[in-house]
Amino acid sequence: RWGVACIAYTLYHMFDNMDGKHARRTRQTSRFGKLLDHAIDGSVGITAACQICCECLFNYPEAIHFALCCGMGTMLTCHLAEYVSGIATLGTRFFSADELFLICSLALAWRSLAGTSLMHLGDDSYWCVQWSWTGGVAVMALLTVRSWTWLLGLAAFACVCMLASWPWPVVVYAPCFTVLLLSNSFG
């Protein structure tokens, strides 16, 4: 099952990269295409990457809700940065969605070949992982968004993630992400 997942996920991110490059090369880009690509990445891509990280990389499936909140926070941060600056910021020169996709494919390959996850995190390391991921998303937001109003909005989303029961973070994320995508694509 992990081998099939590895092949499927690798094909997903391979085609996700190729379709945009092909559209730009043949001058067939559209606002709707950008919207659709980011909507899929912001929902299916984030969910898959978080599940893979929790199960194949860290062997800690109980952390899936926290991982999803980090993923949703990252997508909101990237699209808020684009909304504020007009420049798409989906990662840095050192780490972007492409590197995340590669790590996830390698983690799936490892899990299928070795039969175990790469690292074994448990309850003892949960708070360390939680604070480091939260800190990383916060630093990324501070460096890219550059608007106190929107930073406070991201902080409010973080509070929803920490304090509200599941699925409230998704209920808050879905319309916020949709409005950001529409604003960036057609605004």
Side-chain angles (χ1 to χ4, degrees):
R1 123 186 145 142
W2 294 111
V4 172
C6 178
I7 292 167
Y9 190 78
T10 302
L11 288 172
Y12 159 71
H13 73 80
M14 185 176 73
F15 288 120
D16 183 47
N17 278 319
M18 287 182 358
D19 69 342
K21 288 178 183 174
H22 177 72
R24 285 186 292 279
R25 186 175 35 249
T26 59
R27 297 179 188 201
Q28 296 179 350
T29 59
S30 69
R31 289 180 174 182
F32 179 74
K34 176 185 176 184
L35 173 76
L36 183 63
D37 184 60
H38 288 255
I40 291 170
D41 290 345
S43 54
V44 176
I46 288 294
T47 303
C50 291
Q51 189 73 36
I52 291 166
C53 287
C54 286
E55 291 202 24
C56 296
L57 204 55
F58 301 121
N59 192 32
Y60 199 49
E62 296 83 10
I64 187 64
H65 292 156
F66 169 73
L68 285 171
C69 282
C70 285
M72 292 183 293
T74 300
M75 290 303 289
L76 287 173
T77 299
C78 293
H79 288 280
L80 276 173
E82 180 179 357
Y83 180 78
V84 170
S85 69
I87 299 168
T89 309
L90 295 171
T92 67
R93 290 183 299 154
F94 307 107
F95 192 82
S96 68
D98 294 333
E99 285 79 18
L100 175 63
F101 285 159
L102 184 60
I103 289 169
C104 288
S105 288
L106 292 172
L108 283 165
W110 174 271
R111 183 73 185 247
S112 70
L113 295 173
T116 185
S117 63
L118 193 59
M119 295 179 263
H120 296 281
L121 297 180
D123 291 332
D124 296 338
S125 57
Y126 181 75
W127 290 106
C128 178
V129 171
Q130 189 172 16
W131 282 105
S132 63
W133 275 91
T134 304
V137 173
V139 167
M140 182 176 64
L142 288 169
L143 292 174
T144 59
V145 174
R146 298 185 184 135
S147 164
W148 285 108
T149 305
W150 293 115
L151 286 171
L152 289 174
L154 285 171
F157 178 73
C159 289
V160 169
C161 285
M162 288 187 299
L163 303 173
S165 61
W166 202 256
W168 280 108
V170 176
V171 171
V172 171
Y173 170 76
C176 292
F177 189 63
T178 301
V179 168
L180 272 173
L181 285 177
L182 291 171
S183 297
N184 288 340
S185 296
F186 299 107

